[in-house]
Amino acid sequence: CALPESASQPITMIVYPLPVIDLTGDTVIAGGHSLQLNPGITGDVVSYQWSPSSGLSNMAVADPIASPESNTSYQLTVVTSDGCKASAAEEVGVFYALQMPDAFTPNGDGRNDVFRVPPAIPVTIRLLAVYNRLGAMVFSTTNAGEGWDGNWNGHAQPAGVYVWVLEY
């Protein structure tokens, strides 16, 4: 206010405490598995609201079961009986076991012509690199949809042993 006001009668104010949410640290689970979100909450909480709802058993309870298909940040908002609100978030990372092919045949027959992360595996890759026996990088990508077709600098590479590195 610009000017202080005086009251002829004293005004009694009641300050209600905010609820406190203590979530566990960020967690990583295997794809297809679940975990129970189990926050520590103080205060007279009467309402729980988790979001997003995808992958949760019940978004209106304190401790739902989370079964996300991919990395998900779950946010919990609580309300006390006095109407005070608090929010906190927890990241649940999802790890998928990855089985890469042992070999490929880049002979143009339409079968196993490209060495790559299998398309059915939902991963985000940081790097896929292939090296020849001399240590020269013959292929690299950050796109999970791309793969090595056996060529380097426009020339088909000889059959042999190649080393690959994958960060995902």
Side-chain angles (χ1 to χ4, degrees), residues 9-58:
Q9 298 291 327
I11 298 173
T12 304
M13 294 180 62
I14 300 173
V15 178
Y16 298 108
L18 287 174
V20 176
I21 303 171
D22 182 27
L23 292 171
T24 59
D26 296 344
T27 306
V28 177
I29 62 172
H33 288 81
S34 60
L35 86 142
Q36 186 165 21
L37 301 177
N38 195 12
I41 301 172
T42 60
D44 184 20
V45 174
V46 295
S47 169
Y48 304 91
Q49 186 65 44
W50 289 91
S51 67
S53 62
S54 62
L56 289 180
S57 60
N58 185 339

Side-chain angles (χ1 to χ4, degrees), residues 101 103-106 111-116 139 145-150:
F104 77 116
T105 56
R111 295 182 3 185
N112 300 319
D113 285 336
V114 179
F115 179 78
R116 66 177 175 201
F139 174 78
E146 292 180 0
W148 184 44
D149 64 1

